[in-house]
Amino acid sequence: SGLCVALLGVASDKACAPTRRLAAATFARNCLRKRWGGSSRGDELEAGTETGGVGGITQPARCEVRTAALKALVVAPVDTRRLLADCLRLAAHDAVAMRPSDINETETAFAKTDRFASAARLIEDVIAFATSDASPGALFNQPGLLLATYVASAPFQYFRDPTVAIENAHPCAERLCAALIVPRLVKELEELAGATGDPSRDTSHTLRVAFKILFRLTRAHMPCALANELPQIVRSVENVCASCVFSKNVLSPECWIAVKRGLKLGASLLTRHADVLDAVSVTKLVHAAKSIASIAPGSNTPPPQVTAAAFALLRAALDRRSTRDALVPDLVGAKDDKARESSRRVLLALFVRDCVLPHVSLTAEDREGLFNDPEEYARANACGEARCDGDSMEECLDGGDAGGVTARNAALDFLEHLAVVSFESTEAVKQKPAKKQKKEKKITQEGDEVDEDNENSKPTLGELAARDVMDVLLSKAPKGKVEKVGKAAAASGVTIAHVAPMAEAALGESAYFGLLRVMGALTSASHKAKESATRQFLRKHAFPAVAAAASPHVVVAAACHLAAVSTKITTPVVAREAFSALVAALERPTPEAIDAEDEDKVEEAWRVTRDAASWAARAVCAEAPCADEAFGVASSEATVCLAERLVALAEKNPAKGAAPLRALAGLAEAATSAIATVTAAVLAARIVHAYAEVCPNGNEGDGCDDDGDDETGIDAWETSVEAVASLCECAENCEGNDEATVTKTAAAKTKLAAIAAAHVRAYWKAAAAMEPPCFSVGDDDDDGTDMHDANETDTPPAHPATAPMLRFACQTLAEASTSGAAVDAATASKVFAAAGDWASFLPAWQRREGDEICDDDALDALTCMLGACVESNAGELVTAALAVPGAAAAAATLAETEDSETRCAAARAVAAAVSSCASVATPDVVTAARDAADCAVSPRDSRAALHLLVAVAWEAPSAVAIDPAGWMRAVGDAASASGWNPSDSDDQPLLAAHLDACVCMLRAATKKGASAPDKRLFASTLEEAMKGVNELVDDEEAGTEAEEEDGEDEESDGSESDESDDENADVAHETENEFLERYAAIAQGMADGGGGDGDDGDADENLEETDEAFSAAFAPTKGDGKKSAKRFSEWYRKWKTDGSSGLRTATLVDPVIAKRFEKIFAKTLGA
């Protein structure tokens, strides 16, 4: 701390040179970050230091550093203020880094309530300095003090208790607002924002910091001292926006950032504190946002983040009925509701025309960006799965990377929201009579849904207003007829010659671009969109535009339109027409460039259109409600024709194959069993052959065509893998109807398996040649990672589609082996070798990418591959090549992931690996199994951990022999937590695995020289084993006799059922401690079961699915369980012969279970 204080003293010394002050500030910040940056309140409490010190630094020392940092900041020059503000943040409090989600569960209640204690001390220091003689003049004239105020306000932007909807502001925040914010900051902010003329850079920076302070103080709570000042704050936001709107000069970026911060503050006030705002303030905020949104793209256009902030504020106003009217205030003199609604509709239409449409239409920046930066253009205008998620808006407004947020996307998102909200007042809604029960909808032959309740079919006022604007645009276009492509052509999937839409030339590419995007957003958001109107617009505009428009921008807009309205396409014929038009866009040759020098730019621009068309095609296949019917078995001929057209494009030019193969992958996923196995194998072979011709060998020039300038990139290779994987899935779902078809299908699947394995290897080879992998290890990694460097350097990039491809290939060989069909040895060797290589890469992929690549799908594929190796008799070496690295990756994923599905899949993969290869049961795997049981938090996790434990127990007898009682206890606890009972299961492989584990534990507990086994644990394990045998051995005669004798026993002893006997058999023989343990287990089971909240049915179903999945994993190695039952009988005979460890079976096992087992043992197992 002494060093930090000295450095801060140098930074605040005006006598020192500026460079020395800057160096001292940097050094101080780094020292504080290193010593205090990673501290947390939980660490301090665990260390037992009430002073809050870290690494020997006491609270007085922290106070000394905080004071020095504050003194240095208030006198700091501009180049060191940010560094010293960070020093003050690190030295003053740790609440900034501790959001509610970061609070450790082990923290005490004191720690949770004391999170703002250090922040309170900083607030007092700031207030004391601001009111002292050392701080003369206005707050805004002291930028260092303003930054200190910002640091002091930072912790209060988070909720103290996220479970409470509304809570009072912290007393520290109230103190700061009452003493400094209200009397000085708010007053000075209003004066500065209301000044005439363009704001300077320093003024804009001051406004920005002031808005950020107010935003942080009001984001979660509303301080009472600040509530009365909201009109002045709103007036400041309005004035700042107005000064930028009416400015005739080009404004600086700093000025626009201040506007963005003001708009973000306004949106926060509307979202969290609309009830505190008066109607005038709400109207002013909406007017300010409108004024920014209405600035059309041009020379003085706001940055996209500012426009997005304006639309975010407008959307916040739409979210509440009380603030919604500010968008369209009632006109004075409206006679009735109809006139009021008409006037509002006109106002909304003007708003859409002036604020939304200019940002959606094509701009000069778009035209320039398509040719100069096509990647950014494609990202900004992405559609379907390629479009950024909704979190990018918040990232943009927080000042980070734009993340795909543009003014166009913000305007479209607002328009979609506008189209679904109602502008009816709360009183009008209450006065409406209750709606009648909704009548069933009639579906016409064309696919239209007709709602007989006309009152419910009325669109919202916002949608009607937006469509009014679009109707005005369409009225300027020629009244051409709808392009008729013919149902026969659409049904067959053949190429259709589209004609460029006449509206493109009449409206111009800019307006037509906006028309397509707006209509797509409206149709997507509308709950009342009619199929007939959607179909007519598609056939008249979208289909011909995407297939034949002259402008690449219009093609992209049409593709975005099709992706947006795909959820509204309910007619199979229209869905096929849409996909066929998108394929036509992919087949379209690149227009010739006017200037030879622009040839590359033109080619790249039209590549963007093909990518957009491919993503739209995937959206049609994935999201259209009629996709199964449109591309399924009923339309197999058209589906195959479309698939062949796409494959032909990839064959013609593999370098441009990414777009058509992406569309093919989507088509194959929707087609399910529409593409026959033979056809799928032929299509896959064509793809693989095309890419094998351009597969690079690491030599310069490989991967190019005859001209040497058309290199096949990694994107094309990756989509080719996705396409082949989708074709494999189609082949997997096809089944033959007769013996000849079955034989032909099996041969085609075997061929496809070889093709898939070969293409995976080719992809790895091509990726290594084009993008040599280099998984460098960071400086912060520990030395234990260095041993993996050599292996990771040779690891190809991970591709999620390779796992299902190789699973299909391995399972195909297993099916052929099971059915007795001949499989070429070379094919089997190549398939299993590729699967082994894939498994060998899993540990490196897992370390590199975690469960993003080692997800439940990949781990389930590993489980299936291991089972296929066993069923195919591939040999120990082949199985070990899969099992050893696969188990290592699965165990690491099991220890790291928090996703329940992935944890269960990882447990299954480890269990399958251990069962198929005994050498997998290493100490690390054993530890992972025990840890999984200890860390299980739900019955499903406990059930998966239980099945993993029993698999490891049988294959690791040496580990069980060290502590048999510990293993019995671990298995018993997991079984109790998950509600496992062998008598309730009919999964023979799963029962066999549990029986083998019981045998292993019983052997270890009764071996010579072992101490006397724990009676309760031994009895529980023995009874578990006998239950398993009773369920496994299928001896009807023995079972019948046992049931008859059990019935006689029931009549003689007066018991109600076998179930009651199971529950009460051990009661007479248990001690007091055993009694307490049993009821503790019952209480724990009731707690884990959720207390009867109504979800027991779903929980039982999940447990049954878990059991079935593990049973399938054990099936190749455990079979029907007869061998396991035989092993137990052999141990049981030997144990009885050796004296039963001095114990009587009748005192250990339920008599009913023991009697049935003895019958089975005497008649079948003991023979």
Side-chain angles (χ1 to χ4, degrees):
S1 62
L3 175 61
C4 294
V5 171
L7 291 170
L8 291 170
V10 174
S12 61
D13 189 357
K14 297 181 180 180
C16 294
T19 55
R20 178 172 294 185
R21 297 177 68 179
L22 178 62
T26 305
F27 194 5
R29 194 272 306 270
N30 293 338
C31 288
L32 289 172
R33 180 180 292 176
K34 184 176 181 181
R35 302 202 68 179
W36 294 348
S39 65
S40 68
R41 188 69 179 173
D43 296 337
E44 296 166 8
L45 292 173
E46 290 179 6
T49 57
E50 296 181 0
T51 60
V54 180
I57 301 175
T58 62
Q59 185 60 48
R62 182 185 285 270
C63 180
E64 185 180 0
V65 175
R66 184 183 70 244
T67 303
L70 178 58
K71 290 181 178 180
L73 178 58
V74 294
V75 298
V78 63
D79 55 347
T80 61
R81 285 175 193 156
R82 185 181 295 274
L83 292 170
L84 292 173
D86 204 18
C87 291
L88 182 62
R89 177 187 64 83
L90 292 168
H93 50 70
D94 50 3
V96 174
M98 288 191 61
R99 306 185 184 191
S101 59
D102 299 330
I103 298 177
N104 194 306
E105 294 180 358
T106 60
E107 284 189 316
T108 62
F110 170 78
K112 291 182 179 179
T113 57
D114 196 49
R115 284 179 51 236
F116 294 98
S118 54
R121 288 187 284 269
L122 174 61
I123 288 173
E124 294 300 330
D125 291 346
V126 171
I127 294 174
F129 186 88
T131 55
S132 66
D133 295 337
S135 173
L139 176 64
F140 282 4
N141 292 334
Q142 304 174 74
L145 182 58
L146 188 64
L147 278 178
T149 306
Y150 167 73
V151 174
S153 66
F156 305 104
Q157 63 178 317
Y158 306 117
F159 295 102
R160 298 196 307 279
D161 187 356
T163 62
V164 178
I166 299 177
E167 56 182 350
N168 295 327
H170 195 277
C172 297
E174 294 283 3
R175 166 74 173 145
L176 179 63
C177 291
L180 186 59
I181 302 300
V182 172
R184 298 186 63 176
L185 186 143
V186 174
K187 180 180 178 181
E188 296 176 20
L189 174 63
E190 186 178 6
E191 295 176 356
L192 189 62
T196 59
D198 294 341
S200 64
R201 186 180 185 278
D202 292 339
T203 300
S204 299
H205 181 76
T206 301
L207 292 170
R208 170 188 178 183
V209 176
F211 283 139
K212 289 180 71 174
I213 292 173
L214 294 172
F215 172 78
R216 291 181 182 275
L217 288 171
T218 59
R219 185 181 190 183
H221 316 98
M222 175 53 67
C224 296
L226 202 59
N228 295 330
E229 307 298 323
L230 290 180
Q232 290 86 336
I233 296 174
V234 170
R235 192 157 49 245
S236 300
V237 174
E238 183 187 28
N239 290 336
V240 169
C241 294
S243 64
C244 295
V245 170
F246 295 109
S247 175
K248 298 180 180 180
N249 303 319
V250 177
L251 300 176
S252 65
E254 192 72 29
C255 182
W256 286 119
I257 293 176
V259 173
K260 183 191 74 172
R261 287 297 173 182
L263 291 171
K264 189 177 179 183
L265 171 62
S268 177
L269 293 176
L270 287 175
T271 302
R272 290 286 301 166
H273 312 296
D275 297 335
V276 185
L277 292 170
D278 55 53
V280 175
S281 297
V282 173
T283 303
K284 287 183 177 181
L285 287 175
V286 171
H287 181 267
K290 276 185 177 183
S291 64
I292 298 298
S294 62
I295 301 178
S299 58
N300 198 20
T301 304
Q305 294 90 337
V306 179
T307 305
F311 280 110
L313 191 153
L314 293 172
R315 177 163 179 173
L318 280 178
D319 289 336
R320 282 173 171 260
R321 288 185 182 273
S322 58
T323 59
R324 199 172 298 163
D325 292 339
L327 282 169
V328 281
D330 291 337
L331 294 180
V332 179
K335 297 181 179 179
D336 51 19
D337 292 341
K338 187 175 182 180
R340 185 180 299 107
E341 181 177 344
S342 177
S343 65
R344 285 189 167 190
R345 181 170 175 176
V346 172
L347 291 176
L348 281 175
L350 292 175
F351 172 75
V352 172
R353 186 196 66 185
D354 296 337
C355 296
V356 177
L357 190 58
H359 296 291
V360 178
S361 301
L362 194 67
T363 64
E365 184 180 359
D366 293 322
R367 294 186 178 93
E368 183 180 353
L370 179 59
F371 293 98
N372 295 334
D373 193 356
E375 295 296 335
E376 174 62 22
Y377 180 91
R379 183 180 68 86
N381 294 278
C383 62
E385 300 172 22
R387 189 177 182 184
C388 296
D389 56 17
D391 295 338
S392 56
M393 171 69 78
E394 189 64 25
E395 293 174 4
C396 169
L397 298 183
D398 282 338
D401 185 16
V405 171
T406 63
R408 177 175 296 117
N409 289 339
L412 289 173
D413 290 340
F414 171 80
L415 185 63
E416 291 178 358
H417 199 59
L418 177 67
V420 296
V421 299
S422 172
F423 281 88
E424 291 181 311
S425 64
T426 306
E427 293 75 10
V429 173
K430 291 181 180 179
Q431 292 175 2
K432 274 189 173 184
K435 292 183 179 180
K436 299 179 181 180
Q437 187 175 3
K438 197 170 183 179
K439 300 179 181 180
E440 294 184 359
K441 294 180 177 180
K442 296 181 180 180
I443 300 179
T444 65
Q445 295 181 353
E446 290 292 330
D448 289 340
E449 291 184 352
V450 180
D451 195 341
E452 295 181 357
D453 188 357
N454 294 328
E455 189 178 24
N456 292 335
S457 61
K458 184 178 179 180
T460 64
L461 192 63
E463 181 183 353
L464 291 173
R467 292 190 182 276
D468 289 343
V469 178
M470 295 301 101
D471 290 341
V472 172
L473 272 180
L474 288 172
S475 64
K476 301 177 183 178
K479 306 296 182 182
K481 296 182 179 179
V482 175
E483 182 178 357
K484 295 183 179 180
V485 298
K487 293 185 178 180
S492 61
V494 298
T495 304
I496 301 169
H498 290 274
V499 179
M502 293 183 291
E504 180 184 9
L507 300 179
E509 64 174 357
S510 178
Y512 199 47
F513 181 99
L515 172 70
L516 290 169
R517 296 303 304 269
V518 169
M519 290 299 293
L522 289 176
T523 305
S524 174
S526 175
H527 298 299
K528 309 298 181 182
K530 293 184 178 180
E531 171 72 13
S532 58
T534 302
R535 181 172 60 249
Q536 183 178 11
F537 187 87
L538 290 175
R539 287 174 172 167
K540 187 174 183 179
H541 296 283
F543 295 163
V546 78
S551 169
H553 304 283
V554 173
V555 175
V556 172
C560 293
H561 178 92
L562 289 173
V565 305
S566 58
T567 57
K568 306 296 182 180
I569 300 177
T570 58
T571 306
V573 173
V574 178
R576 285 194 295 272
E577 288 183 35
F579 196 91
S580 180
L582 292 165
V583 174
L586 299 175
E587 294 172 330
R588 184 178 179 181
T590 302
E592 294 184 3
I594 300 176
D595 191 347
E597 296 180 356
D598 295 336
E599 185 176 350
D600 292 340
K601 290 185 177 181
V602 171
E603 176 61 39
E604 192 67 15
W606 284 92
R607 182 193 63 79
V608 172
T609 67
R610 287 188 283 269
D611 285 341
S614 66
W615 287 114
R618 287 181 67 96
V620 171
C621 293
E623 300 178 9
C626 61
D628 291 340
E629 185 179 355
F631 307 107
V633 178
S635 308
S636 58
E637 182 181 350
T639 301
V640 171
C641 183
L642 292 170
E644 289 179 346
R645 289 169 60 186
L646 294 169
V647 172
L649 287 174
E651 282 182 311
K652 182 180 180 181
N653 192 342
K656 300 179 182 178
L661 291 180
R662 186 181 297 118
L664 176 63
L667 178 64
E669 291 173 4
T672 58
S673 56
I675 301 178
T677 304
V678 177
T679 305
V682 172
L683 294 175
R686 291 168 59 184
I687 296 172
V688 172
H689 177 73
Y691 281 86
E693 293 292 325
V694 296
C695 183
N697 296 315
N699 300 322
E700 186 176 357
D702 284 340
C704 302
D705 61 7
D706 296 336
D707 298 333
D709 59 354
D710 197 11
E711 185 177 356
T712 304
I714 190 65
D715 187 34
W717 277 96
E718 289 175 346
T719 50
S720 71
V721 173
E722 295 176 9
V724 175
S726 299
L727 291 172
C728 290
E729 184 178 357
C730 285
E732 195 173 15
N733 295 328
C734 292
E735 297 180 359
N737 297 325
D738 51 32
E739 185 175 353
T741 306
V742 170
T743 303
K744 188 176 181 180
T745 300
K749 288 179 68 174
T750 304
K751 179 182 178 182
L752 184 55
I755 292 172
H759 194 53
V760 169
R761 282 191 172 279
Y763 163 69
W764 288 338
K765 181 180 178 182
M770 289 183 288
E771 295 186 4
C774 182
F775 293 169
S776 59
V777 180
D779 297 335
D780 295 335
D781 291 347
D782 53 22
D783 296 336
T785 315
D786 295 342
M787 60 182 295
H788 305 295
D789 288 358
N791 293 334
E792 292 186 357
T793 301
D794 298 332
T795 302
H799 196 305
T802 56
M805 286 174 65
L806 294 173
R807 175 193 57 77
F808 164 80
C810 293
Q811 285 186 322
T812 298
L813 298 186
E815 293 173 2
S817 177
T818 303
S819 62
V823 178
D824 181 54
T827 299
S829 176
K830 292 179 180 179
V831 169
F832 286 121
D837 290 342
W838 173 84
S840 68
F841 301 144
L842 276 180
W845 289 338
Q846 194 279 331
R847 285 190 294 270
R848 179 69 176 179
E849 304 184 33
D851 54 5
E852 290 185 6
I853 187 64
C854 286
D855 57 0
D856 53 331
D857 293 331
L859 294 168
D860 285 339
L862 173 63
T863 302
C864 295
M865 291 182 210
L866 290 167
C869 287
V870 176
E871 294 175 352
S872 303
N873 298 319
E876 296 181 0
L877 294 178
V878 173
T879 305
L882 266 169
V884 174
T893 303
L894 182 62
E896 296 176 6
T897 185
E898 297 180 359
D899 182 68
S900 179
E901 292 291 340
T902 305
R903 286 182 61 85
C904 291
R908 285 194 298 272
V910 176
V914 169
S915 300
S916 59
C917 181
S919 61
V920 171
T922 60
D924 291 341
V925 172
V926 173
T927 302
R930 294 293 295 266
D931 290 345
D934 294 338
C935 300
V937 295
S938 67
R940 187 184 182 194
D941 288 346
S942 297
R943 183 67 66 90
L946 169 65
H947 298 331
L948 174 58
L949 270 179
V950 300
V952 172
W954 172 246
E955 300 297 344
S958 58
V960 177
I962 297 174
D963 184 20
W967 278 85
M968 291 179 180
R969 185 177 293 105
V971 172
D973 290 345
S976 176
S978 63
W980 164 258
N981 187 354
S983 300
D984 297 335
S985 176
D986 56 358
D987 296 315
Q988 292 180 336
L990 187 60
L991 291 170
H994 279 260
L995 184 54
D996 284 340
C998 291
V999 170
C1000 184
M1001 292 184 288
L1002 292 171
R1003 284 177 180 173
T1006 58
K1007 68 179 180 180
K1008 290 184 179 180
S1011 58
D1014 182 282
K1015 181 179 178 182
R1016 185 180 64 84
L1017 296 174
F1018 185 85
S1020 176
T1021 305
L1022 182 61
E1023 182 172 305
E1024 181 95 354
M1026 288 186 175
K1027 287 181 180 179
V1029 172
N1030 293 345
E1031 297 298 326
L1032 277 173
V1033 179
D1034 187 16
D1035 188 295
E1036 296 181 359
E1037 182 179 356
T1040 302
E1041 293 179 2
E1043 291 172 2
E1044 291 176 355
E1045 295 187 9
D1046 291 346
E1048 295 174 0
D1049 292 340
E1050 290 175 4
E1051 295 176 0
S1052 62
D1053 60 16
S1055 61
E1056 295 181 359
S1057 64
D1058 289 342
E1059 183 178 357
S1060 61
D1061 291 337
D1062 291 342
E1063 295 176 352
N1064 302 319
D1066 291 338
V1067 174
H1069 308 288
E1070 65 183 0
T1071 63
E1072 182 179 356
N1073 289 336
E1074 291 172 345
F1075 168 81
L1076 295 176
E1077 290 181 2
R1078 182 164 62 86
Y1079 273 89
I1082 293 174
Q1084 181 64 40
M1086 294 176 64
D1088 292 338
D1093 57 358
D1095 295 333
D1096 292 343
D1098 294 338
D1100 292 342
E1101 184 177 353
N1102 290 335
L1103 293 177
E1104 290 177 3
E1105 292 177 356
T1106 302
D1107 292 344
E1108 292 174 358
F1110 271 91
S1111 183
F1114 288 130
T1117 54
K1118 300 299 182 182
D1120 58 4
K1122 296 294 180 61
K1123 292 182 179 180
S1124 300
K1126 191 69 175 177
R1127 278 192 287 267
F1128 175 75
S1129 69
E1130 293 172 355
W1131 171 86
Y1132 183 75
R1133 182 189 296 109
K1134 184 177 182 301
W1135 178 66
K1136 295 289 287 185
T1137 303
D1138 293 342
S1140 305
S1141 302
L1143 302 173
R1144 293 176 55 246
T1145 306
T1147 63
L1148 300 174
V1149 184
D1150 179 2
V1152 176
I1153 297 172
K1155 186 176 295 185
R1156 184 180 178 191
F1157 169 76
E1158 291 290 349
K1159 289 286 185 181
I1160 296 175
F1161 176 76
K1163 287 186 172 291
T1164 60
L1165 301 177

